């Protein structure tokens, strides 16, 4: 066999095996932002079978660019245990006890590496365009290649069956929108609908991101800014403790759910 054939057939075969073995999983995660990457890490480390689908070529979501492309972010003391677990270094901010800066590129890459090495499979350049909603239950995802989505090609998708779905799509809460508008699901919010993100209020947003991280319909969870948007929390900008803690919280909730 020629080396050209060796390379191409090895890539096609190993990718196909990876995808086929993740068409049915415990947890299907949508979006590879900081909250869902922590969730993927914790879930996989605890033994759950996890597939994460990220629309962009590079997972990491809003982590890479820090604040206004200054590639540093801030994390609070109560989330440094998660940084330690993932081997991410941080530096105290002078005169601001309990706050640290860290390199956003180190954080993004360590979160991705941590999730993959814990056993989660990340499928990049794939977009989730719908949910499986069967007999009143959320049963998985409908996926397609991002270039198909972006070019508006008329190509049917494939599906991933899962026990739980996690919406980690950030500010737009894409999966929750599909649940409300297409599946007519009434979410576990005061109106049953998405309440919508409020403007910036850093400390309120940080606390509410964690509080709002929950199961919003049987088998359908939200974390990070998606959860905050669903429940009408405030935004917080380039401080990431709440995102990391939200990912850890939702992993615990999902593990309890799938173990029952
Ligand atoms: O927005 P994002 O980083 O999610 P997050 O974990 O973190 C929010 C922070 O980055 C920041 C903030 C912190 O202070 O406010 O915004 O809540 O990442 C969401 C990821 O989901 C992907 C998207 O490309 C991004 O990488 N995504 C969104 N919709 C889809 C998707 C979809 N339908 N299919 C696949 N990926």
């Amino acid at each position: 066999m020629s080396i050209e054939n060796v390379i191409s057939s090895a890539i096609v075969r190993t990718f196909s095996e990876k995808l086929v073995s993740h068409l049915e999983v415990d947890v299907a995660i949508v979006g590879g932002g900081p909250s869902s990457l922590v969730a993927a890490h914790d879930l996989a480390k605890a033994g759950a079978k996890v597939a994460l689908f990220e629309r962009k070529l590079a997972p990491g979501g809003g982590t890479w660019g820090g604040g206004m492309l200054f590639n540093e972010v801030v994390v609070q003391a109560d989330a440094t245990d998660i940084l330690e677990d993932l081997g991410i270094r941080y530096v105290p901010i002078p005169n601001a006890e309990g706050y640290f800066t860290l390199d956003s590129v180190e954080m993004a890459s360590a979160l991705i590496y941590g999730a993959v090495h814990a056993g989660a499979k990340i499928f990049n350049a794939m977009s989730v365009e719908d949910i499986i909603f069967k007999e009143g239950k959320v049963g998985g995802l409908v996926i397609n290649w991002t270039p198909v989505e972006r070019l508006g090609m008329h190509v049917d998708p494939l599906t991933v069956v899962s026990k739980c779905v996690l919406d980690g799509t950030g500010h737009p809460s894409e999966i929750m929108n599909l649940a409300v508008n297409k599946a007519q699901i009434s979410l576990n919010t005061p109106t049953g609908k998405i309440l919508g993100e409020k403007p910036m209020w850093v400390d309120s947003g940080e606390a509410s991101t964690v509080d709002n991280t929950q199961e919003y319909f049987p088998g359908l969870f939200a974390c990070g800014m998606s959860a905050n948007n669903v429940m009408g929390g405030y935004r917080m900008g380039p401080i990431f403790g709440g995102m990391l803690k939200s990912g850890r919280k939702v992993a615990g909730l999902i593990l309890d759910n799938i173990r029952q």
Side-chain angles (χ1 to χ4, degrees), residues 21-53:
S21 66
H22 286 80
L23 293 180
E24 184 150 3
V25 291
D26 294 323
V27 192
I29 302 181
V30 189
S35 60
S36 53
L37 285 168
V38 171
H41 166 269
D42 286 10
L43 285 162
K45 204 170 163 197
K49 189 170 181 183
V50 179
L52 183 155
F53 299 90

Short mmCIF file of all heavy atoms in Angstrom, two decimals, residues 21-53:
data_model
loop_
_atom_site.label_atom_id
_atom_site.label_comp_id
_atom_site.label_asym_id
_atom_site.label_seq_id
_atom_site.Cartn_x
_atom_site.Cartn_y
_atom_site.Cartn_z
N SER A 21 -18.73 4.80 17.39
CA SER A 21 -18.81 4.37 18.79
C SER A 21 -19.37 5.47 19.69
O SER A 21 -19.57 5.25 20.89
CB SER A 21 -17.44 3.91 19.30
OG SER A 21 -16.56 5.01 19.33
N HIS A 22 -19.62 6.66 19.14
CA HIS A 22 -20.23 7.74 19.95
C HIS A 22 -21.56 8.18 19.37
O HIS A 22 -22.01 9.31 19.61
CB HIS A 22 -19.24 8.90 20.11
CG HIS A 22 -18.16 8.55 21.07
ND1 HIS A 22 -17.08 7.77 20.69
CD2 HIS A 22 -18.01 8.80 22.39
CE1 HIS A 22 -16.30 7.58 21.75
NE2 HIS A 22 -16.85 8.19 22.79
N LEU A 23 -22.22 7.34 18.62
CA LEU A 23 -23.57 7.67 18.13
C LEU A 23 -24.61 7.36 19.20
O LEU A 23 -25.77 7.74 19.08
CB LEU A 23 -23.89 6.92 16.83
CG LEU A 23 -23.04 7.35 15.63
CD1 LEU A 23 -23.41 6.56 14.39
CD2 LEU A 23 -23.16 8.86 15.36
N GLU A 24 -24.18 6.69 20.26
CA GLU A 24 -25.04 6.48 21.43
C GLU A 24 -24.17 6.68 22.66
O GLU A 24 -23.19 5.95 22.85
CB GLU A 24 -25.67 5.08 21.38
CG GLU A 24 -26.64 4.88 22.53
CD GLU A 24 -27.78 3.92 22.21
OE1 GLU A 24 -27.81 3.35 21.11
OE2 GLU A 24 -28.62 3.75 23.10
N VAL A 25 -24.52 7.67 23.47
CA VAL A 25 -23.66 8.04 24.61
C VAL A 25 -24.52 8.29 25.85
O VAL A 25 -25.75 8.40 25.76
CB VAL A 25 -22.84 9.31 24.30
CG1 VAL A 25 -21.79 9.06 23.23
CG2 VAL A 25 -23.73 10.49 23.91
N ASP A 26 -23.85 8.43 26.98
CA ASP A 26 -24.58 8.85 28.19
C ASP A 26 -24.93 10.32 28.09
O ASP A 26 -26.05 10.72 28.37
CB ASP A 26 -23.69 8.63 29.43
CG ASP A 26 -23.42 7.17 29.70
OD1 ASP A 26 -24.33 6.34 29.50
OD2 ASP A 26 -22.28 6.84 30.10
N VAL A 27 -23.94 11.14 27.71
CA VAL A 27 -24.15 12.60 27.71
C VAL A 27 -23.69 13.18 26.38
O VAL A 27 -22.54 12.99 25.98
CB VAL A 27 -23.36 13.28 28.85
CG1 VAL A 27 -23.81 14.72 29.02
CG2 VAL A 27 -23.50 12.52 30.16
N ALA A 28 -24.60 13.89 25.72
CA ALA A 28 -24.26 14.61 24.49
C ALA A 28 -24.20 16.09 24.85
O ALA A 28 -25.19 16.67 25.31
CB ALA A 28 -25.31 14.35 23.42
N ILE A 29 -23.03 16.69 24.63
CA ILE A 29 -22.82 18.09 25.02
C ILE A 29 -22.76 18.94 23.76
O ILE A 29 -22.07 18.59 22.79
CB ILE A 29 -21.51 18.25 25.81
CG1 ILE A 29 -21.54 17.35 27.07
CG2 ILE A 29 -21.27 19.71 26.19
CD1 ILE A 29 -20.29 17.45 27.95
N VAL A 30 -23.46 20.07 23.81
CA VAL A 30 -23.47 20.98 22.67
C VAL A 30 -22.65 22.22 23.03
O VAL A 30 -23.00 22.95 23.96
CB VAL A 30 -24.90 21.41 22.28
CG1 VAL A 30 -24.86 22.16 20.96
CG2 VAL A 30 -25.82 20.21 22.22
N GLY A 31 -21.57 22.44 22.28
CA GLY A 31 -20.73 23.61 22.51
C GLY A 31 -19.53 23.26 23.37
O GLY A 31 -19.65 22.51 24.35
N GLY A 32 -18.39 23.82 22.99
CA GLY A 32 -17.15 23.55 23.72
C GLY A 32 -16.61 24.79 24.39
O GLY A 32 -15.43 25.12 24.24
N GLY A 33 -17.46 25.52 25.12
CA GLY A 33 -16.99 26.66 25.90
C GLY A 33 -16.40 26.18 27.23
O GLY A 33 -16.38 24.97 27.51
N PRO A 34 -15.94 27.13 28.07
CA PRO A 34 -15.28 26.71 29.32
C PRO A 34 -16.18 25.90 30.24
O PRO A 34 -15.72 24.92 30.85
CB PRO A 34 -14.88 28.05 29.96
CG PRO A 34 -15.70 29.10 29.27
CD PRO A 34 -15.94 28.59 27.89
N SER A 35 -17.46 26.25 30.33
CA SER A 35 -18.32 25.51 31.27
C SER A 35 -18.52 24.08 30.79
O SER A 35 -18.40 23.13 31.57
CB SER A 35 -19.66 26.22 31.46
OG SER A 35 -20.34 26.34 30.23
N SER A 36 -18.79 23.90 29.51
CA SER A 36 -19.05 22.53 29.05
C SER A 36 -17.77 21.71 28.95
O SER A 36 -17.82 20.48 29.07
CB SER A 36 -19.82 22.53 27.74
OG SER A 36 -19.18 23.30 26.79
N LEU A 37 -16.63 22.35 28.76
CA LEU A 37 -15.37 21.57 28.77
C LEU A 37 -15.08 21.03 30.17
O LEU A 37 -14.62 19.90 30.32
CB LEU A 37 -14.21 22.43 28.26
CG LEU A 37 -14.20 22.66 26.74
CD1 LEU A 37 -13.19 23.75 26.37
CD2 LEU A 37 -13.91 21.38 25.96
N VAL A 38 -15.34 21.84 31.20
CA VAL A 38 -15.17 21.33 32.58
C VAL A 38 -16.16 20.19 32.82
O VAL A 38 -15.81 19.14 33.38
CB VAL A 38 -15.36 22.45 33.62
CG1 VAL A 38 -15.41 21.88 35.03
CG2 VAL A 38 -14.25 23.48 33.53
N ALA A 39 -17.39 20.37 32.35
CA ALA A 39 -18.39 19.30 32.52
C ALA A 39 -17.94 18.03 31.81
O ALA A 39 -18.01 16.93 32.37
CB ALA A 39 -19.75 19.77 31.98
N ALA A 40 -17.44 18.17 30.58
CA ALA A 40 -16.99 17.00 29.82
C ALA A 40 -15.85 16.29 30.56
O ALA A 40 -15.83 15.06 30.67
CB ALA A 40 -16.54 17.43 28.42
N HIS A 41 -14.92 17.08 31.08
CA HIS A 41 -13.80 16.51 31.86
C HIS A 41 -14.30 15.73 33.05
O HIS A 41 -13.95 14.57 33.27
CB HIS A 41 -12.88 17.67 32.29
CG HIS A 41 -11.88 17.28 33.35
ND1 HIS A 41 -12.15 17.41 34.70
CD2 HIS A 41 -10.63 16.76 33.27
CE1 HIS A 41 -11.10 16.99 35.39
NE2 HIS A 41 -10.17 16.59 34.55
N ASP A 42 -15.17 16.36 33.86
CA ASP A 42 -15.62 15.72 35.11
C ASP A 42 -16.47 14.49 34.81
O ASP A 42 -16.34 13.47 35.49
CB ASP A 42 -16.43 16.72 35.95
CG ASP A 42 -15.54 17.77 36.61
OD1 ASP A 42 -14.35 17.85 36.28
OD2 ASP A 42 -16.06 18.51 37.46
N LEU A 43 -17.35 14.59 33.82
CA LEU A 43 -18.22 13.46 33.48
C LEU A 43 -17.40 12.27 32.99
O LEU A 43 -17.61 11.14 33.42
CB LEU A 43 -19.23 13.88 32.40
CG LEU A 43 -20.38 14.76 32.89
CD1 LEU A 43 -21.04 15.46 31.70
CD2 LEU A 43 -21.39 13.93 33.65
N ALA A 44 -16.46 12.55 32.09
CA ALA A 44 -15.66 11.45 31.53
C ALA A 44 -14.78 10.84 32.62
O ALA A 44 -14.64 9.62 32.70
CB ALA A 44 -14.82 11.97 30.37
N LYS A 45 -14.23 11.70 33.47
CA LYS A 45 -13.37 11.19 34.55
C LYS A 45 -14.16 10.28 35.49
O LYS A 45 -13.62 9.32 36.04
CB LYS A 45 -12.81 12.39 35.34
CG LYS A 45 -11.54 12.10 36.05
CD LYS A 45 -10.90 13.34 36.59
CE LYS A 45 -9.88 12.96 37.64
NZ LYS A 45 -9.51 14.10 38.47
N ALA A 46 -15.45 10.57 35.64
CA ALA A 46 -16.30 9.74 36.51
C ALA A 46 -16.80 8.49 35.79
O ALA A 46 -17.58 7.72 36.36
CB ALA A 46 -17.47 10.57 37.03
N GLY A 47 -16.44 8.32 34.53
CA GLY A 47 -16.78 7.08 33.83
C GLY A 47 -17.93 7.19 32.85
O GLY A 47 -18.31 6.19 32.23
N ALA A 48 -18.51 8.40 32.69
CA ALA A 48 -19.62 8.54 31.73
C ALA A 48 -19.07 8.58 30.31
O ALA A 48 -17.94 9.03 30.08
CB ALA A 48 -20.41 9.82 32.03
N LYS A 49 -19.89 8.10 29.37
CA LYS A 49 -19.51 8.17 27.95
C LYS A 49 -20.01 9.51 27.42
O LYS A 49 -21.21 9.79 27.44
CB LYS A 49 -20.14 7.01 27.20
CG LYS A 49 -19.65 6.86 25.79
CD LYS A 49 -20.13 5.55 25.21
CE LYS A 49 -19.63 5.37 23.81
NZ LYS A 49 -20.13 4.15 23.20
N VAL A 50 -19.08 10.34 26.96
CA VAL A 50 -19.39 11.73 26.63
C VAL A 50 -18.96 12.06 25.21
O VAL A 50 -17.82 11.79 24.81
CB VAL A 50 -18.63 12.69 27.59
CG1 VAL A 50 -18.93 14.14 27.26
CG2 VAL A 50 -18.96 12.39 29.04
N ALA A 51 -19.86 12.67 24.45
CA ALA A 51 -19.50 13.25 23.14
C ALA A 51 -19.83 14.74 23.17
O ALA A 51 -20.94 15.11 23.61
CB ALA A 51 -20.26 12.57 22.01
N LEU A 52 -18.89 15.56 22.76
CA LEU A 52 -19.10 17.02 22.74
C LEU A 52 -19.01 17.50 21.29
O LEU A 52 -18.04 17.17 20.59
CB LEU A 52 -18.05 17.69 23.64
CG LEU A 52 -18.13 19.20 23.83
CD1 LEU A 52 -17.47 19.60 25.16
CD2 LEU A 52 -17.50 19.99 22.69
N PHE A 53 -19.99 18.27 20.86
CA PHE A 53 -20.03 18.77 19.48
C PHE A 53 -19.81 20.28 19.50
O PHE A 53 -20.54 21.01 20.16
CB PHE A 53 -21.37 18.40 18.83
CG PHE A 53 -21.56 16.91 18.77
CD1 PHE A 53 -22.17 16.25 19.82
CD2 PHE A 53 -21.03 16.18 17.72
CE1 PHE A 53 -22.29 14.86 19.82
CE2 PHE A 53 -21.14 14.79 17.70
CZ PHE A 53 -21.77 14.14 18.76
#
